[in-house]
Amino acid sequence: AQSVTQLDSHVSVSEGTPVLLRCNYSSSYSPSLFWYVQHPNKGLQLLLKYTSAATLVKGINGFEAEFKKSETSFHLTKPSAHMSDAAEYFCVVSRDTGFQKLVFGTGTRLLVSP
Amino acid sequence: SAVISQKPSRDICQRGTSLTIQCQVDSQVTMMFWYRQQPGQSLTLIATANQGSEATYESGFVIDKFPISRPNLTFSTLTVSNMSPEDSSIYLCSGSGGEVMDTQYFGPGTRLTVL
């Protein structure tokens, strides 16, 4: 069965410093992996997705993630945090090969201080 | 891309009553899904809404409690029946496939409180 583990429930950074949100996956086949962001009282927005093409995936708002099969990881990074990045981030794996049924991680709340 | 809207955005209901949530997509999508996000928790898939046929439910969710309709490629409804306080959650719909290809887009959610 496919699953994801987000290693940190909360991450705190200062504005202008790097962001690292960690995610490990488990999958019986080559997975499709996603990062979604949820701002307070807003819907989920897709940041980026990995679907077996390039292992370094660039997303919106300066975020990127690297798929590492040897480490079963898909960590999300950003070189410089902005106050507007404060939100809940979900690492997600597709439960099937058609990217349809998604399995969500427990989420990481990113806090950005001035 | 796709824009998904949900109505109502929030509601407060009495136990034992039912609430129907509407989901509208601005593009034709092959697949539509309904998720639940309980307070402080992640999203759990309730069911896949199939056009013209019965929805496909995930383990732990049943049609009598969460009847779903999908009359066309852009619209679906989820009813939460005979509600109890444990049903207090955010309910989200999503769509993928068709015009939006393999990306799954989400609605803003319906925040339900059951007293």
Side-chain angles (χ1 to χ4, degrees):
Chain A
Q2 283 62 249
S3 66
V4 289
T5 301
Q6 292 185 244
L7 300 168
D8 306 291
S9 60
H10 293 80
V11 170
S12 295
V13 301
S14 298
E15 191 174 22
T17 64
V19 175
L20 170 63
L21 305 183
R22 299 183 294 165
C23 173
N24 287 111
Y25 70 90
S26 172
S27 178
S28 55
Y29 50 80
S30 183
S32 295
L33 292 158
F34 311 81
W35 277 97
Y36 279 85
V37 60
Q38 186 177 38
H39 289 275
N41 300 315
K42 298 271 182 73
L44 285 161
Q45 181 181 25
L46 179 67
L47 277 178
L48 50 82
K49 63 182 179 183
Y50 166 77
T51 56
S52 76
T55 56
L56 182 62
V57 182
K58 293 189 183 298
I60 61 171
N61 301 334
F63 284 95
E64 62 181 38
E66 186 170 8
F67 174 75
K68 292 187 176 180
K69 186 174 181 179
S70 61
E71 299 176 9
T72 62
S73 69
F74 190 58
H75 301 335
L76 181 70
T77 61
K78 182 174 181 177
S80 176
H82 191 273
M83 294 295 291
S84 61
D85 294 328
E88 188 87 18
Y89 291 80
F90 293 97
C91 182
V92 182
V93 65
S94 175
R95 218 174 74 191
D96 59 0
T97 55
F99 325 127
Q100 304 297 354
K101 295 195 173 181
L102 303 182
V103 177
F104 281 73
T106 52
T108 298
R109 182 166 296 277
L110 177 64
L111 306 169
V112 183
S113 57
Chain B
S1 67
V3 176
I4 300 182
S5 59
Q6 289 183 232
K7 287 195 295 188
S9 59
R10 59 178 61 223
D11 208 341
I12 301 173
C13 301
Q14 297 297 319
R15 69 169 67 212
T17 63
S18 298
L19 176 72
T20 295
I21 302 168
Q22 298 179 6
C23 177
Q24 180 74 54
V25 188
D26 70 345
S27 309
Q28 291 190 344
V29 291
T30 307
M31 310 290 287
M32 292 184 75
F33 304 91
W34 287 96
Y35 291 82
R36 181 175 72 181
Q37 186 176 23
Q38 294 178 298
Q41 300 198 22
S42 188
L43 279 76
T44 301
L45 180 63
I46 297 172
T48 304
N50 302 309
Q51 187 205 359
S53 64
E54 201 169 274
T56 306
Y57 290 84
E58 299 299 308
S59 176
F61 297 96
V62 295
I63 187 171
D64 289 346
K65 177 66 176 177
F66 298 102
I68 288 170
S69 77
R70 188 172 172 199
N72 57 48
L73 290 177
T74 64
F75 186 79
S76 178
T77 67
L78 168 76
T79 299
V80 186
S81 303
N82 188 24
M83 289 184 285
S84 67
E86 292 69 37
D87 295 320
S88 297
S89 295
I90 298 173
Y91 293 86
L92 300 98
C93 70
S94 70
S96 68
E99 294 180 38
V100 301
M101 304 301 283
D102 59 4
T103 296
Q104 196 162 137
Y105 292 90
F106 284 81
T110 295
R111 185 178 294 272
L112 171 62
T113 302
V114 184
L115 303 178

